[in-house]
């Protein structure tokens, strides 16, 4: 068990001028709407800090959670990528805000790209990866909702998703906010990043 995490403060950002200055190493939760970004943050911090909903597009702001741990860091909850119902204007607003967030950081944050384990990399995920790499932002895949796939099928499922991608299997973290799978592993990864950044 890692040390207990405690949220020191929360900042909700809707516009570019509200973006907070960089103070601590940052870990970003990116991924399409409804993939489970907010649920995973809640699990990691052990409290219901982020708003979770059954309909996509729940998080419309960038939320910064400053966490006190052995070494403090900030968790950054991005609004879902490509919220299905959002129109063109809403998408452009998303892109502008998120781009300005990345541009404003002196250190590239650790970006966790959350991918639903029931679906693997969908078109929208590939689009997000391309968009991030276009900004020279490196990402690490974290699968969510693995409780939806039976244990026996997980290895083959992961292999299938990674087949045509240059991502080593050992770099992937499989998580569930439902049954806590992979949560400790992810906590350790984040703490180590916080220490080394
Ligand atoms: N079974 C299962 N359901 C999950 C898991 N994580 C999230 N969910 C459900 O998936 C839905 C979306 O979760 P959120 O955490 O709000 O997803 P999000 O990525 O923050 O969504 P947006 O803010 O809309 O971009 C909710 O109904 C959650 O209860 C999981 O690990 N397992
Ligand atoms: Mg959310």
């Amino acid at each position: 068990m890692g040390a207990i995490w405690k949220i020191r403060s929360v900042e909700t950002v809707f516009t570019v001028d509200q973006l907070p200055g960089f103070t601590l190493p940052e870990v970003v939760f990116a991924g399409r709407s409804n993939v489970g970004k907010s649920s995973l943050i809640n699990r990691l911090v052990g409290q219901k800090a982020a708003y979770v909903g059954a309909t996509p597009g729940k998080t419309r702001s960038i939320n910064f959670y400053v966490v006190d741990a052995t070494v403090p860091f900030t968790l950054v909850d991005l609004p879902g990528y490509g919220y299905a119902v959002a129109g063109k204007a809403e998408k452009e607003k998303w892109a502008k805000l998120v781009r300005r967030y990345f541009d404003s950081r002196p250190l590239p944050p650790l970006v966790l790209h959350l991918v639903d384990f029931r679906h693997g990399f969908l078109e929208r995920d590939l689009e997000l990866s391309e968009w991030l790499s276009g900004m020279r932002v490196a990402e690490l895949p974290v699968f969510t909702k693995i409780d939806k796939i039976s244990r026996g099928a997980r290895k083959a499922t992961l292999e299938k998703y990674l087949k045509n991608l240059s991502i080593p299997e050992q770099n992937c973290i499989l998580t569930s906010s439902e049954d806590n799978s992979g949560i400790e592993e992810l906590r350790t990864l984040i703490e180590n990043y916080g220490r080394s950044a």
Side-chain angles (χ1 to χ4, degrees):
M1 269 291 276
I4 290 172
W5 293 7
K6 197 169 170 293
I7 294 184
R8 188 198 302 174
S9 64
V10 183
E11 262 187 87
T12 301
V13 169
F14 286 96
T15 59
V16 163
D17 54 291
Q18 293 171 337
L19 281 167
F22 174 88
T23 50
L24 295 168
E26 292 177 339
V27 180
V28 172
F29 293 72
R32 62 180 184 76
S33 291
N34 216 39
V35 72
K37 299 175 292 297
S38 299
S39 301
L40 197 55
I41 288 178
N42 287 343
R43 262 301 170 213
L44 288 165
V45 299
Q47 67 183 88
K48 288 195 173 136
Y51 195 71
V52 168
T55 48
K58 276 297 159 198
T59 310
R60 306 303 283 269
S61 49
I62 303 184
N63 297 295
F64 294 82
Y65 301 93
V66 177
V67 177
D68 276 323
T70 318
V71 177
F73 51 81
T74 302
L75 301 181
V76 183
D77 190 8
L78 289 188
Y81 179 76
Y83 168 45
V85 185
K88 195 161 174 264
E90 197 66 33
K91 276 184 193 149
E92 276 165 13
K93 215 172 121 195
W94 182 96
K96 185 179 168 212
L97 181 62
V98 177
R99 183 183 294 277
R100 275 292 280 279
Y101 160 69
F102 282 113
D103 282 349
S104 68
R105 274 29 213 165
L107 271 184
L110 170 64
V111 179
L112 305 177
H113 181 168
L114 274 52
V115 176
D116 192 324
F117 201 57
R118 291 172 300 179
H119 309 302
F121 299 88
L122 299 176
E123 177 114 6
R124 203 156 271 170
D125 294 302
L126 301 174
E127 226 176 85
L128 174 62
S129 292
E130 248 172 58
W131 190 78
L132 289 170
S133 78
M135 293 192 303
R136 303 187 178 284
V137 174
E139 56 169 55
L140 191 75
V142 170
F143 289 97
T144 61
K145 310 192 187 184
I146 68 156
D147 57 283
K148 296 280 195 183
I149 303 289
S150 71
R151 273 169 205 282
R154 288 179 193 168
K155 192 171 159 49
T157 303
L158 181 62
E159 281 166 4
K160 183 179 78 186
Y161 293 156
L162 298 181
K163 205 168 167 211
N164 297 315
L165 303 168
S166 53
I167 304 169
E169 206 176 309
Q170 67 269 21
N171 281 14
C172 298
I173 297 187
L174 275 57
T175 69
S176 165
S177 302
E178 198 71 23
D179 66 14
N180 268 342
S181 300
I183 299 297
E184 248 346 280
E185 194 186 341
L186 194 53
R187 279 205 188 114
T188 303
L189 180 109
I190 291 171
E191 288 186 344
N192 287 341
Y193 174 76
R195 238 172 248 128
S196 68

